[in-house]
Amino acid sequence: MKNTTVSALALTAGLFGGSAAMAEITVGMMLPTSGTYAALGQEIDAGFMLALEEAGQQDAVRIVREDTEARPQVGVQKARKLVMQDEADVLVGLVSSGVLGAIRDFVDGSQVPLIVANAGNDEATGDQCSRYITRVSFSNAQVSRPMGEYLPTAGITKVYTLAPDYAAGRQMIDAFTAEFAEHGGEVVGGEYTPFAQTEDFGPYLTNARASGAEALFVFYAGGEAISFVNQYGSFGISDSLPLYGTGFLNSQLYLDAEGDSAIGTVGSLHYVPSLDTPENEAFVAAYQERHNKLPSEYAVQGYDAGRVLIEAMATGADDRESLAEAIPQVSYTGPRGPLEIDPATHNVIQNVYIYEIVKEDDRLTQNILATIENVQDEPHGCTLGG
């Protein structure tokens, strides 16, 4: 493990240009440090800092951090402050789709590049795309469509859906439903639960059990994911109504809190720490050394946001306009696999993995069932490609 880590990190340093001097830039880091998604923000920040440390470029980046609270109106205030008062050369972060949607016009109008490290709202790289917005995480449709393709191959043709009632929840369910129907599946019912307000999922699970569905497909993240999986486990319906969802449901970040309730749940996601590649082995070892835990997809998204930025800077980009030009041109193979930015949308092109949570040697891990390679979104009204 040690030799693999050293050699892989040495390669990374070479790609970044080693420790060569770069002009200092100011990064406006926009992440929730309070509220439902605070843990996600912490993981993204940790991954970002790891990328800087590996490249030896901590001194080339001045970071100004602001708490978005995952609230759109707060996000707008913080974006204005970072750009106009702190004179940020680039913005990084955003967990909430609502915050990304709220600051889109300001980012585009101020012509400051934004590297999105989580928020997945489809329109940000669709009909509301901007040459100044590049997403290195996922789109909501990108991680939910593959499950619509996979479930019929697993013999499941009728599902019940659940998700929180906000933009990401509806987009995840819509994309899954369309793909599932295209492959012969039927959604026999579904509900949207009040976002960040639902404490008792029992009534929704009762309705799902009575629906005649063969499985559940859901999207939950953050504290809601932990609550939902634990209540699902205590409901005792895993044999009759197996649980599938986008992988934020059973993220590595939540497995300790979900415990055995997560066993047998199946997710679709662009990263799991059990990926067996040299790049991921090196990343996992480096992250564990610093944080004494396995990285989640959020840590990888932060890492890739940092790596994309540093590689863009290595081309000589050192101000808003040159960074906006260089960032979408970065591509490499990293912890999640091949990563490139679609010139037509500025959304990431990447593999999506279908995996099951299993217990091995008294710990929960991910058993990869299928890999859908190079998942790419249609432009959906984006005109960056022509």
Side-chain angles (χ1 to χ4, degrees):
M1 172 70 79
K2 183 176 181 180
N3 290 337
T4 302
T5 300
V6 170
S7 62
L9 297 188
L11 174 61
T12 297
L15 289 171
F16 287 150
S19 56
M22 297 181 187
E24 182 182 271
I25 69 165
T26 297
V27 171
M29 184 69 77
M30 300 183 62
L31 291 169
T33 57
S34 60
T36 301
Y37 290 152
L40 283 59
Q42 292 168 5
E43 290 268 305
I44 291 169
D45 199 310
F48 185 83
M49 294 308 300
L50 176 57
L52 298 191
E53 291 166 16
E54 286 184 353
Q57 298 297 340
Q58 304 95 309
D59 294 338
V61 177
R62 179 175 77 96
I63 302 176
V64 182
R65 292 177 169 85
E66 292 290 344
D67 181 8
T68 66
E69 303 175 24
R71 295 169 58 196
Q73 65 272 29
V74 174
V76 172
Q77 295 167 7
K78 298 302 176 68
R80 290 182 177 277
K81 184 258 185 186
L82 288 167
V83 171
M84 301 171 73
Q85 179 177 322
D86 300 304
E87 299 182 342
D89 298 295
V90 58
L91 300 176
V92 175
L94 302 188
V95 166
S96 163
S97 292
V99 174
L100 176 54
I103 72 167
R104 183 270 173 201
D105 288 349
F106 173 74
V107 168
D108 187 68
S110 62
Q111 300 182 352
V112 58
L114 165 64
I115 302 175
V116 179
N118 189 73
N121 51 320
D122 296 332
E123 59 271 20
T125 49
D127 60 6
Q128 295 181 21
C129 66
S130 165
R131 71 178 295 265
Y132 297 99
I133 297 176
T134 299
R135 180 156 47 200
V136 300
S137 50
F138 60 91
S139 74
N140 293 331
Q142 188 178 40
V143 292
S144 52
R145 285 198 315 269
M147 193 65 86
E149 176 183 348
Y150 173 78
L151 279 178
T153 70
I156 294 172
T157 58
K158 294 182 179 181
V159 304
Y160 193 92
T161 63
L162 290 170
D165 191 8
Y166 76 121
R170 289 186 174 273
Q171 289 181 357
M172 294 278 190
I173 296 302
D174 287 349
F176 164 79
T177 298
E179 191 74 12
F180 190 50
E182 187 172 323
H183 288 83
E186 177 188 0
V187 173
V188 298
E191 296 175 85
Y192 291 101
T193 58
F195 175 50
Q197 299 176 34
T198 306
E199 297 182 358
D200 181 9
F201 290 98
Y204 303 101
L205 291 168
T206 298
N207 291 342
R209 181 169 53 188
S211 69
E214 298 165 338
L216 265 171
F217 176 83
V218 310
F219 162 71
Y220 287 104
E224 286 193 316
I226 297 170
S227 295
F228 183 85
V229 170
N230 281 326
Q231 290 182 42
Y232 168 84
S234 66
F235 230 66
I237 56 174
S238 58
D239 289 339
S240 60
L241 199 66
L243 179 57
Y244 296 79
T246 55
F248 308 106
L249 178 74
N250 51 13
S251 165
Q252 178 65 44
L253 184 60
Y254 317 136
L255 284 184
D256 286 345
E258 293 174 351
D260 287 354
S261 292
I263 295 174
T265 63
V266 178
S268 57
L269 205 57
H270 51 290
Y271 175 77
V272 290
S274 62
L275 283 173
D276 185 14
T277 66
E279 295 83 4
N280 186 52
E281 186 175 308
F283 172 74
V284 168
Y287 193 87
Q288 281 188 303
E289 181 181 351
R290 288 162 175 80
H291 301 287
N292 196 32
K293 63 178 180 178
L294 290 170
S296 69
E297 66 277 13
Y298 305 107
V300 168
Q301 291 165 187
Y303 176 84
D304 283 328
R307 181 163 175 179
V308 164
L309 176 60
I310 293 296
E311 293 208 21
M313 292 172 62
T315 70
D318 60 1
D319 59 22
R320 293 176 180 177
E321 188 57 34
S322 59
L323 286 166
E325 183 68 25
I327 286 168
Q329 298 183 48
V330 174
S331 64
Y332 54 84
T333 296
R336 71 177 86 179
L339 180 151
E340 64 178 304
I341 305 301
D342 187 346
T345 63
H346 285 192
N347 193 53
V348 62
I349 301 173
Q350 60 190 336
N351 295 345
V352 173
Y353 306 96
I354 309 294
Y355 64 92
E356 180 182 10
I357 299 298
V358 298
K359 180 171 269 191
E360 294 180 356
D361 300 324
D362 292 324
R363 72 179 183 92
L364 299 179
T365 188
Q366 305 86 10
N367 177 37
I368 296 175
L369 304 174
T371 300
I372 294 85
E373 296 183 344
N374 300 318
V375 180
Q376 181 177 13
D377 282 351
E378 295 294 330
H380 295 303
C382 181
T383 58
L384 294 176

